[in-house]
Amino acid sequence: MSAFLEALYFIVPVSIAYAAPLIFVAIGGVFSEKSGVINIGLEGLMVMGAFVGIVFNLTFADQLGGSTIWFSLLAAMVVSGIFSLLHAVASISFRADQTISGVAINMLGVAIALFAVKLIYDKGQTDYVTEQFIRFDIPVLSDIPVIGPMFFSDVYSTSILAIAVAILAWFVIYKTPFGLRLRAVGEHPMAADTMGVKVNRMRYIAVVLSGMLAGIGGAAYAQSISYEFSHSTINGQGFMALAAMIFGKWHPLGAMGAALFFGLAQSLKIVGGSIDFIDQVPTVYLDILPYVLTILALAGFIGKASAPKAIGQPYIKGKR
């Protein structure tokens, strides 16, 4: 039993660290799709956030010192929010196919980021950041027997922030007038319009919110796990977050739980070699595990979960 607990003390903190960026991005997806706008461009928005976060960090670390990491999150949030407007304009104003628009965002985000890295640094990746999120023990709570070392030791501040954002998103979506309007435009936009809700405005807000949260997720990942930006920094995490959103049935807390599950899958390839009953598994299997679980989650749950009824349908005022 002690060996099992030791393994958990090792696995759980790393799993939460890997899950935190996915939580941000999945919650962003919840906001967008609750409003009726499909957003599979989360990967591209996350890439943009990671790129902006690292470049801002490298540029201003000398001036901002320890606060650089937080300003980098803010910069990534703003830029990815603006970048998501491309998807909003195409999907909402021009009524383009939302899936195709999302694919374009994914391709464009990667292309812009890699081109800019080559332009700025004259190589395929950035330098490593010196200012980065570091792990710490939460006072008092980390001393609690069993659960203390498991959940409150070696934590990142981004992990705490991600869980707080998930709880706040649940409150906003289900306990506030804004959340009621958001869900209304995703379920029955004509009825919402009849009651005076500005459908397209609500959808714009939701898509921009999804971009902002995806940007935070990308910057959090880059500054706590990879510490640099290259073509492989964000490598499918946006799609894992999309799967977590569906796996969690478009509910903020469900998405958080699913993101923790995918975080566990990602962490196993990092910590697996140090754990007795996992170190026998070939490394390649641990490498592909997160992506296999993503496919299984989408295949197994996409037909069972109830998406907002008007998702993917552009709203034309006065038309049923």
Side-chain angles (χ1 to χ4, degrees):
M1 181 60 74
S2 60
F4 179 68
L5 276 178
E6 287 296 327
L8 286 180
Y9 292 158
F10 200 33
I11 292 174
V12 171
V14 179
S15 299
I16 296 173
Y18 272 83
L22 301 183
I23 293 172
F24 287 119
V25 183
I27 298 301
V30 169
F31 274 106
S32 179
E33 301 211 356
K34 276 288 187 184
S35 75
V37 180
I38 297 171
N39 192 353
I40 66 168
L42 295 174
E43 175 90 356
L45 295 168
M46 194 177 181
V47 167
M48 188 60 66
F51 161 70
V52 172
I54 291 296
V55 170
F56 186 95
N57 189 311
L58 290 169
T59 305
F60 295 103
D62 291 339
Q63 291 86 354
L64 298 175
S67 61
T68 304
I69 49 179
W70 297 105
F71 281 104
S72 296
L73 286 187
L74 185 62
M77 180 185 76
V78 171
V79 173
S80 289
I82 294 171
F83 189 55
S84 67
L85 279 171
L86 294 174
H87 181 52
V89 170
S91 301
I92 301 167
S93 296
F94 295 147
R95 306 188 190 110
D97 185 287
Q98 295 172 9
T99 301
I100 293 174
S101 176
V103 170
I105 290 293
N106 287 335
M107 297 173 67
L108 190 60
V110 174
I112 290 174
L114 292 180
F115 176 76
V117 166
K118 180 68 175 175
L119 200 64
I120 298 169
Y121 299 99
D122 198 28
K123 54 183 178 180
Q125 67 180 63
T126 66
D127 299 325
Y128 283 84
V129 295
T130 54
E131 296 294 337
Q132 48 197 239
F133 286 103
I134 58 174
R135 299 180 189 182
F136 64 95
D137 295 343
I138 300 177
V140 182
L141 294 178
S142 61
D143 297 326
I144 299 173
V146 183
I147 65 171
M150 200 178 300
F151 295 104
F152 304 115
S153 295
D154 289 332
V155 300
Y156 287 109
S157 48
T158 49
S159 301
I160 299 171
L161 180 61
I163 293 170
V165 165
I167 295 170
L168 179 62
W170 167 80
F171 180 82
V172 168
I173 291 173
Y174 291 101
K175 302 295 181 180
T176 66
F178 172 84
L180 179 62
R181 292 194 290 270
L182 181 76
R183 287 181 286 129
V185 300
E187 294 290 338
H188 202 308
M190 179 171 285
D193 192 9
T194 303
M195 296 303 294
V197 178
K198 304 293 185 183
V199 175
N200 285 350
R201 183 170 70 180
M202 285 300 300
R203 288 183 169 180
Y204 261 96
I205 292 171
V207 173
V208 171
L209 275 174
S210 77
M212 292 167 71
L213 286 167
I216 293 174
Y221 185 92
Q223 294 183 102
S224 62
I225 295 171
S226 71
Y227 305 126
E228 51 85 41
F229 180 83
S230 67
H231 70 282
S232 61
T233 298
I234 304 299
N235 193 17
Q237 281 80 12
F239 295 114
M240 288 182 205
L242 183 67
M245 176 195 69
I246 297 170
F247 198 179
K249 298 185 177 181
W250 289 269
H251 190 286
L253 301 184
M256 179 179 70
L260 288 168
F261 172 68
F262 287 121
L264 170 63
Q266 289 187 89
S267 71
L268 288 178
K269 68 180 180 181
I270 305 299
V271 303
S274 305
I275 299 172
D276 290 340
F277 54 92
I278 298 179
D279 61 359
Q280 303 300 318
V281 179
T283 305
V284 65
Y285 293 150
L286 296 178
D287 287 341
I288 67 173
L289 180 62
Y291 308 104
V292 172
L293 290 177
T294 301
I295 294 170
L296 292 176
L298 288 173
F301 288 87
I302 196 167
K304 299 175 184 177
S306 298
K309 290 184 174 60
I311 193 167
Q313 302 172 13
Y315 178 63
I316 303 173
K317 192 175 181 67
K319 183 177 179 180
R320 289 183 179 274

